[in-house]
Amino acid sequence: MTTHIDNEEIIRQVVQALEAKHPDVDRDELEAVVRDEFQTLAERPVRDYLLILTERGAKKRLKKLSAPAS
């Protein structure tokens, strides 16, 4: 059973969670990454795990952004 999911609330929650873990990343950049990850997932038929999957995808991208260049 699916519940109504407010897209902006999901984005807000993920940004808030990741802000604490990535204080060195500008909030606008962080929100852009989260929105991009969310948009990638939002069109899929199963929406029950959007919050978790959006956060997971954004974490991976932020880790790549903050990794030192080799």
Side-chain angles (χ1 to χ4, degrees), residues 32-67:
V33 168
V34 171
R35 284 186 180 280
D36 189 49
E37 285 298 319
F38 179 83
Q39 286 306 112
T40 301
L41 299 166
E43 300 304 318
R44 300 205 177 167
V46 177
R47 297 178 46 94
D48 291 342
Y49 303 102
L50 269 175
L51 189 134
I52 295 166
L53 295 174
T54 299
E55 184 172 352
R56 185 179 296 160
K59 280 181 184 178
K60 285 180 183 178
R61 287 182 55 185
L62 291 169
K63 189 174 182 179
K64 287 180 186 177
L65 286 174
S66 62

